[in-house]
Amino acid sequence: MTETRIDRRFAAVKAEGRPAFVTFLTAGDPDPATTLALLAALPKAGADVIELGMPFSDPMADGPAVQAAGLRALKGGMTLNKTLDLVREFRKTDDVTPIVLMGYYNPIYSHGSEAFVVDAKAAGVDGLIIVDLPPEADDELCLPALKAGLNFIRLATPTTDDKRLPTVLTNTSGFVYYVSINGITGSAAPDASRVAEAVDRIKRHTPLPVAVGFGVRTAEQAAAIGANADGVVVGSAIVQAVANSLDAEGRATAATVPAVEALVSTLARGVRAARRPVAA
């Protein structure tokens, strides 16, 4: 598989002696134009990688903030094709920031897996995180995605033991996403010491970068997690910042983009405070 934007970005931040800052937005929340403005703002505010959520009506792993964002997006008419359109528009002005689509298999299955892989690659997508597609179903999407040059990023959790981990890591590329807590997104704060132990354990099985998410909300938490992880993922806090900026009808306001920019800038400083030695 050829080198991807994700590979290059993780290599670049490693050379800088710091972890990557991975941010999450829900596509179409609260509307496509606002999402596009937010996508453009994130790299300037310090995001290294952007996860773009594909709204789905039954998001089993998502907490209240991300669920609400998905419902707002779906209510506004967001679709998988429109999500790809957003990536295509983003790529007109940014050809370096990695974009990872995150979501569930049902919309992709409805679109057609082979067609989706082709369309995602053409739009400028770099990787996929499909939370409900296990390694046993790699033929469905993972292997076609890898063949097309898309990274397929797998989740590992606190319950992924050493017996299961090699299976999870098979065909994983780009990075490993370690879910730092048992439960849904945004439901609790991670324990930095336990996360460090988990990251070390995963690294004994793979040379891939390990990014840690679920529950990271503050710059201090980001710095603590980033002291051991290769990447820090923040989603629910950013999505909640969007929600807090909306008007009574759930529409974007003049405060929406600045509110997200301010939060991401603060979090980015936390991530960048997590320095580590640069390999010679």
Side-chain angles (χ1 to χ4, degrees):
M1 184 173 171
T2 58
E3 188 180 60
T4 66
R5 290 185 186 93
I6 295 171
D7 299 327
R8 289 192 289 272
R9 182 54 54 94
F10 273 94
V13 300
K14 182 178 181 180
E16 292 176 24
R18 66 173 180 88
F21 182 25
V22 183
T23 57
F24 173 90
L25 286 174
T26 299
D29 175 35
D31 61 78
T34 302
T35 301
L36 189 59
L38 290 168
L39 286 172
L42 286 175
K44 298 170 187 173
D48 295 303
V49 179
I50 300 172
E51 292 177 4
L52 188 59
M54 299 177 285
F56 179 51
S57 58
D58 189 22
M60 63 182 182
D62 296 335
V66 179
Q67 281 194 30
L71 290 175
R72 287 192 297 268
L74 291 171
K75 184 179 177 181
M78 200 62 190
T79 65
L80 183 54
N81 281 328
K82 290 179 180 178
T83 300
L84 295 176
D85 287 341
L86 282 174
V87 178
R88 201 172 286 110
E89 285 298 312
F90 174 76
R91 284 285 171 239
K92 291 179 180 179
T93 57
D94 188 325
D95 195 43
V96 296
T97 303
I99 294 281
V100 177
L101 293 186
M102 184 171 187
Y104 300 84
Y105 186 50
N106 187 282
I108 295 170
Y109 179 80
S110 298
H111 187 92
S113 294
E114 291 184 11
F116 171 77
V117 166
V118 171
D119 294 344
K121 181 67 175 176
V125 172
D126 302 292
L128 304 173
I129 301 174
I130 310 302
V131 300
D132 58 345
L133 205 56
E136 288 77 11
D138 274 358
D139 288 347
E140 289 281 334
L141 183 64
C142 174
L143 295 181
L146 293 174
K147 186 176 180 180
L150 293 170
N151 288 127
F152 202 86
I153 298 143
R154 200 90 68 183
L155 302 178
T157 75
T159 60
T160 308
D161 60 22
D162 284 332
K163 183 177 179 181
R164 176 66 175 168
L165 192 55
T167 302
V168 170
L169 294 172
T170 299
N171 297 323
T172 298
S173 69
F175 62 94
V176 179
Y177 187 146
Y178 178 67
V179 177
S180 61
I181 56 173
N182 287 318
I184 54 177
T185 58
S187 59
D191 181 322
S193 62
R194 289 186 178 182
V195 168
E197 292 172 4
V199 169
D200 287 343
R201 183 170 66 87
I202 294 168
K203 283 182 165 295
R204 289 197 290 270
H205 291 266
T206 179
L208 289 171
V210 179
V212 176
F214 278 49
V216 180
R217 292 180 171 277
T218 68
E220 292 75 21
Q221 288 172 338
I225 296 299
N228 297 96
D230 301 303
V232 179
V233 187
V234 179
S236 293
I238 296 171
V239 171
Q240 191 61 53
V242 173
N244 292 346
S245 75
L246 305 179
D247 68 16
E249 281 74 45
R251 295 175 300 207
T253 67
T256 300
V257 175
V260 172
E261 283 179 319
L263 175 61
V264 170
S265 293
T266 299
L267 290 164
R269 286 194 291 272
V271 172
R272 283 162 172 73
R275 309 296 297 183
R276 70 273 307 276
V278 179

